[in-house]
Amino acid sequence: MASSSSSDSSAPQTPQIRKDSVKNRWVIFSPARAKRPSDFKSKTPINPNQQQQQCPFCIGHEHECAPEIFRVPPDNPDWKLRVIQNLYPALSRDIPAAEEVNNSDSGRVVVNGFGFHDVVIETPVHSVQLSDLSPREIGEVLVAHTRRIKQLMSSDSIKYVQVFKNHGASAGASMSHSHSQIMALPVVPPAVATRLGSMKEYFDQTGKCSVCESNSKDLLIDVSAHFISIVPFAATFPFEMWIIPLDHSSHFHELDSEKAVELGGLLKLVLRKMSLQLNNPPFNFMVQTSPLGDNASQLPYSHWFLQIVPQLSVVAGFEMGTGCYINPVFPEDAAKVLREVKVSPSE
């Protein structure tokens, strides 16, 4: 990926079609459709002080939630975070494990809706957002994710665990209290299989990991000792950001507590930059990791990363029909804008 990008820090201003060698999709970059990159702002900013009446995620309302899995610190009424079952789960942990039923007559495949759907309440205080937490506190949230994944690995039926966060109603959040979610699936999702296949194709052709090769100076936002934050070369969405371990690593759940704090610091930084530059937009973040049952042959090309997508555009008919996306902001321009956002230590 890095070898395909221009060494000039300014992006071309004629349309381009770029291949995303990680996700195996084409992205059209059409700057004529956009205003200046620095003028992009969310039209639906999040109000950080918005109070949701009778919020069950707030401290003191634990009895209104679904059963708790664990809390930090353990057995402490003054908890810092809680992991609970989702009150309205998309999958059920209470039915028999997934068993594929293939109807040879119709060609339809059905799998029982077995799985796990959990919520990580990231703070006991309603008005505090993830980016308000300290790097160590964000690291504790990330460690809670990895701890729960390790617990879910005890179920042989679980093939993939997706960690994600929806921030803001237009990003899919039904609760304004800061939280993330964990879904454990009995199948490997198509997007994950496609990503792994694309990574393998790149590795077979070049002998290199496509995510490791994403490290390019003109796409850089910031860097720490073990992580780098970039705008990807073929970003699907305007101002999309990735945080990537500099050391090749296939599984997010192998993140240790020390590096989790470091990752928390970089995540806090890019979230603050995004909020300041883009008017505190709704956003999604997803941990893109490897299936739990992958074999050793996948490890050289499979590399986890954290994807952050501010909600600044709409997926419409062209994208739905083709699987190609139109991005009005060149990644080099978005990275330059975000690099130049100054975040004070108190923010």
Side-chain angles (χ1 to χ4, degrees):
M1 287 171 61
S3 61
S4 301
S5 60
S6 169
S7 60
D8 194 306
S9 61
S10 61
Q13 295 309 304
T14 55
Q16 278 190 354
I17 305 176
R18 294 186 179 184
K19 175 71 177 293
D20 182 345
S21 59
V22 174
K23 296 190 173 183
N24 194 29
R25 65 168 54 136
W26 292 95
V27 181
I28 299 172
F29 291 91
S30 185
R33 298 168 60 90
K35 45 199 167 185
R36 291 180 301 174
S38 59
D39 291 338
F40 264 80
K41 306 289 180 184
S42 172
K43 296 178 182 178
T44 56
I46 302 298
N47 179 2
N49 298 316
Q50 182 182 10
Q51 179 72 35
Q52 183 170 322
Q53 292 185 346
Q54 302 300 319
C55 172
F57 288 177
C58 288
I59 193 165
H61 291 260
E62 294 84 357
H63 62 284
E64 300 175 27
C65 295
E68 179 177 294
I69 300 168
F70 64 83
R71 65 173 63 187
V72 178
D75 304 318
N76 191 325
D78 295 323
W79 51 271
K80 297 175 67 175
L81 66 87
R82 294 204 309 140
V83 180
I84 64 172
Q85 297 181 22
N86 194 311
L87 192 60
Y88 305 103
L91 297 169
S92 174
R93 69 193 73 209
D94 299 322
I95 62 175
E99 181 177 331
E100 183 175 305
V101 178
N102 193 338
N103 188 322
S104 57
D105 294 333
S106 66
R108 297 171 179 170
V109 178
V110 178
V111 176
N112 288 344
F114 168 81
F116 298 84
H117 190 174
D118 302 329
V119 175
V120 179
I121 305 172
E122 298 164 340
T123 168
V125 182
H126 191 94
S127 60
V128 173
Q129 298 300 322
L130 184 65
S131 60
D132 297 323
L133 301 178
S134 69
R136 181 163 298 280
E137 290 169 328
I138 298 175
E140 289 175 344
V141 172
L142 297 170
V143 168
H145 293 147
T146 63
R147 176 180 171 185
R148 183 57 182 148
I149 293 173
K150 291 172 184 175
Q151 292 176 346
L152 292 166
M153 290 172 67
S154 64
S155 173
D156 293 336
S157 297
I158 296 304
K159 307 302 181 187
Y160 188 79
V161 180
Q162 181 64 65
V163 175
F164 64 99
K165 179 179 178 67
N166 303 329
H167 177 72
S170 62
S174 58
M175 302 284 290
S176 57
H177 193 120
S178 187
H179 68 285
S180 47
Q181 299 182 61
I182 302 171
M183 283 192 68
L185 306 170
V187 296
V188 176
V192 176
T194 299
R195 169 164 53 84
L196 290 172
S198 185
M199 289 174 164
K200 183 179 186 304
E201 180 182 4
Y202 186 93
F203 182 82
D204 289 344
Q205 292 175 351
T206 67
K208 299 177 181 179
C209 165
S210 57
V211 175
C212 289
E213 290 296 291
S214 301
N215 189 345
S216 177
K217 184 178 180 180
D218 53 355
L219 300 173
L220 175 70
I221 302 171
D222 212 304
V223 65
S224 66
H226 297 96
F227 298 92
I228 189 169
S229 59
I230 66 165
V231 178
F233 169 72
T236 303
F237 305 100
F239 289 91
E240 174 183 347
M241 297 173 285
W242 293 2
I243 301 181
I244 303 169
L246 287 171
D247 297 327
H248 183 85
S249 175
S250 297
H251 291 283
F252 167 69
H253 68 258
E254 295 175 349
L255 178 72
D256 63 42
S257 57
E258 184 177 343
K259 288 183 180 177
V261 174
E262 182 186 329
L263 175 57
L266 191 54
L267 177 56
K268 178 182 175 72
L269 176 67
V270 298
L271 290 178
R272 291 299 301 140
K273 283 176 174 279
M274 178 180 71
S275 178
L276 290 169
Q277 179 59 42
L278 303 176
N279 194 27
N280 194 20
F283 68 86
N284 305 94
F285 87 54
M286 295 73 65
V287 175
Q288 304 286 5
T289 187
S290 299
L292 297 181
D294 66 359
N295 56 52
S297 66
Q298 290 179 316
L299 300 182
Y301 60 81
S302 178
H303 192 144
W304 75 266
F305 60 94
L306 200 159
Q307 178 186 17
I308 306 166
V309 179
Q311 292 295 322
L312 300 170
S313 58
V314 176
V315 175
F318 174 78
E319 290 84 359
M320 294 179 191
T322 64
C324 298
Y325 288 75
I326 300 175
N327 187 339
V329 182
F330 273 100
E332 293 85 354
D333 292 335
K336 183 175 186 295
V337 168
L338 291 168
R339 268 198 310 274
E340 293 175 354
V341 176
K342 303 301 181 186
V343 177
S344 67
S346 61
E347 287 181 305

